[in-house]
Amino acid sequence: VQDAASGQDPRSGGDEGSRRRWKEEISRILGEIQAPLSPLLLRLCHWLFPKLLTRLFLSVQLHWGQLEMVLRAARMPEVPLVFLCSHQSQMDGLLLSFVLLSQGIGLPRVTVGDWPSPCLRSLLQRLGGIFLPSGMAQILSDRDEGLPGAVLDAYIQEVLQSRQPLILFLEEPQASLWLADSARCWLLRVLRALRDGAVADVLVVPVGIAYDVAP
């Protein structure tokens, strides 16, 4: 992050005013990515979500044998879990978070697409949702990522090093079989963390979600 900041404005030097401006910019970018979790909201959603599911669906089915394998994998020391998921509905992230949390795996960090409502975005961040910084999904070259890319790299490294489960959606809802630009960006962060030695390994868990009728 320091290299990216100094590379954007080499003439700024190391004066106090310059360092303060870069700290403010880094904090702003980090605020676009995530927000502190809200224990109150998490408890409230954990209580409300089963009631919502019973209103929307006749049943929610899990493959218990495969879930047992995930639970065993979650007990491996020093190896973070990365869930690569199909994406059928905007409810997928909440559903997977609820399943993992209720099974004792822990609250995951869930990559979320663009939401037009700032209030909804803020709410999802408080529940573990993480977003790309402004314009990151449209950047095609690594050289153009600048400070937002460096902050995002550092953030994903911290998530993996702390062994928080990470959920990446590979496609946009109703656009299956195509790797989304945002998914490409998130996957690149995980690969860089492995390449740079931030983590020695990750356990990749493929997740398929299907609905009889998508909500």
Side-chain angles (χ1 to χ4, degrees):
V1 173
Q2 288 176 341
D3 291 343
S6 59
Q8 285 194 352
D9 189 5
R11 296 168 299 173
S12 62
D15 60 277
E16 186 63 31
S18 174
R19 285 198 297 268
R20 185 172 60 254
R21 286 194 302 273
W22 284 121
K23 284 182 179 179
E24 291 173 354
E25 178 64 11
I26 290 166
S27 297
R28 184 194 66 79
I29 295 170
L30 189 59
E32 288 187 341
I33 298 172
Q34 60 101 52
L37 297 174
S38 169
L40 178 60
L41 274 177
L42 288 168
R43 285 195 295 269
L44 180 62
C45 288
H46 197 265
W47 176 73
L48 283 176
F49 198 62
K51 304 180 189 312
L52 175 64
L53 291 178
T54 58
R55 293 295 185 93
L56 288 176
F57 306 115
L58 293 176
S59 65
V60 177
Q61 299 176 3
L62 300 173
H63 192 295
W64 286 109
Q66 294 176 358
L67 185 58
E68 282 293 327
M69 294 175 64
V70 175
L71 291 171
R72 287 200 300 272
R75 291 192 287 268
M76 292 184 63
E78 306 302 323
V79 183
L81 291 173
V82 176
F83 295 85
L84 301 184
C85 312
S86 61
H87 203 6
Q88 305 296 320
S89 160
Q90 299 290 7
M91 185 176 287
D92 296 347
L94 291 173
L95 183 60
L96 284 173
S97 295
F98 174 75
V99 169
L100 296 180
L101 191 59
S102 63
Q103 295 300 315
I105 295 176
L107 181 72
R109 288 293 185 171
V110 184
T111 60
V112 185
D114 292 330
W115 288 79
S117 167
C119 293
L120 188 55
R121 179 183 178 121
S122 177
L123 174 64
L124 292 173
Q125 285 181 319
R126 297 286 181 176
L127 295 173
I130 54 177
F131 294 77
L132 289 175
S134 303
M136 279 292 297
Q138 287 74 41
I139 293 176
L140 300 179
S141 170
D142 294 356
R143 297 178 182 177
D144 298 333
E145 289 179 351
L147 189 60
V151 174
L152 189 61
D153 280 336
Y155 175 76
I156 290 298
Q157 288 181 11
E158 289 290 335
V159 169
L160 296 176
Q161 288 172 348
S162 61
R163 297 191 66 238
Q164 296 180 66
L166 180 63
I167 294 177
L168 305 181
F169 289 107
L170 300 180
E171 59 205 12
E172 295 296 334
Q174 300 166 351
S176 57
L177 304 181
W178 293 98
L179 184 63
D181 290 339
S182 57
R184 238 179 256 277
C185 196
W186 289 113
L187 285 170
L188 180 60
R189 267 66 227 175
V190 176
L191 291 173
R192 283 181 181 170
L194 286 167
R195 181 198 65 190
D196 296 341
V199 288
D201 199 4
V202 297
L203 285 171
V204 175
V205 182
V207 179
I209 301 175
Y211 301 91
D212 290 337
V213 178

